[in-house]
Amino acid sequence: MSVGGFNHRGVLAVYRFEMHRFARTLWTGLAVPVITTSLYFIVFGAAIGSRMTEIDGIPYGSFIVPGLMMLSLFTESIFNASFGIHMPRFTGTIYELLSAPMSAFETVLGYVGAAATKATIVALVILATANLFVDVHIEHPMLMLAYLLLVAATFCLFGFIVGIWAKGFEQLQVIPLLIVTPLTFLGGAFYSIDMLNEPWRTITLFNPVVYLINGFRWTFFGTADVPVGYALAATFAFFLVCLAAIWWIFRTGYRLKA
């Protein structure tokens, strides 16, 4: 059934199915980021925080919170979205999905919406956990939430592409583990890129993750290593590239029907 040509029941069915899968592993899905975040604060806070108390006037423990949230958001968004669309391909139910009275936009909205919801919940759990260790002040809370949702949606779109591209479950791990995670660690998640000497600081500016992390950090502290306008432009550019790639996938049927 559709309203105004939009199959809201189909979108809701996909969304509920994906969220139900998340609910089955709720405790594991939430316990892991809590434990991981606690370990980061114990290790980084004790080993580094005692030697580097502040960065740009911000306590080091608070400074790494946006980076921790982005690190988790990137990986969770990619994994949830890629696994969600890869499973129908693996089980063969993708054909039922493609023959359903749903447009490409509605299909993507259901999968990406659920994946973004799950990733955002995990990121907010990390924020709540961080408050147990440090005092986290958010200067622009509404912008923080909006930017969080934008990045989640962007990387869920990217994860959707990865899930279609991957030929097996092992390939689902290649992009997040071998590309995204290293870029995040090298993108200023736990330090300011202004601390780097040349030419490494200039080289780091070619890392797109730098702009995403710094844009998010700006919403917390009102300061960042790169202009916030550049960060927003880079995020929107990546979002549009992912949209264009998904449009091409559905238009050509790339790995959807074979």
Side-chain angles (χ1 to χ4, degrees), residues 53-127:
T53 57
E54 290 186 351
I55 297 180
D56 296 330
I58 304 168
Y60 182 73
S62 300
F63 181 85
I64 66 174
V65 172
L68 278 173
M69 292 177 67
M70 285 289 101
L71 175 62
S72 178
L73 191 72
F74 295 157
T75 54
E76 286 289 327
S77 297
I78 295 174
F79 174 77
N80 288 322
S82 62
F83 187 82
I85 191 59
H86 187 76
M87 276 302 294
R89 293 181 60 232
F90 177 75
T91 59
T93 55
I94 186 69
Y95 302 106
E96 298 178 9
L97 182 65
L98 293 174
S99 62
M102 292 179 62
S103 66
F105 171 76
E106 292 162 350
T107 301
V108 173
L109 182 62
Y111 280 105
V112 169
T117 301
K118 291 182 278 186
T120 302
I121 290 173
V122 172
L124 293 177
V125 167
I126 289 176
L127 177 61

Side-chain angles (χ1 to χ4, degrees), residues 81-82 85 107-108 111-112 156-164 246 250:
S82 62
I85 191 59
T107 301
V108 173
Y111 280 105
V112 169
C156 285
L157 289 172
F158 182 60
F160 192 89
I161 296 169
V162 172
I164 293 175
I246 291 177
F250 277 92

Side-chain angles (χ1 to χ4, degrees), residues 1 5 9 15 20 42 48 72 104 106 120 130 132 134 137 139 154 168 181 183 197 208-209 223 231 234 250 252 257:
M1 182 177 179
R9 291 186 181 274
Y15 181 88
H20 180 68
I42 292 172
I48 300 178
S72 178
E106 292 162 350
T120 302
L132 300 177
V134 295
H137 172 72
E139 189 165 329
T154 301
T181 298
L183 287 178
N197 296 323
V209 176
T223 182
F250 277 92
T252 61
K257 302 177 182 179

Side-chain angles (χ1 to χ4, degrees), residues 40-52 60:
Y40 271 117
F41 274 103
I42 292 172
V43 174
F44 280 88
I48 300 178
S50 60
R51 294 172 174 80
M52 185 168 54
Y60 182 73

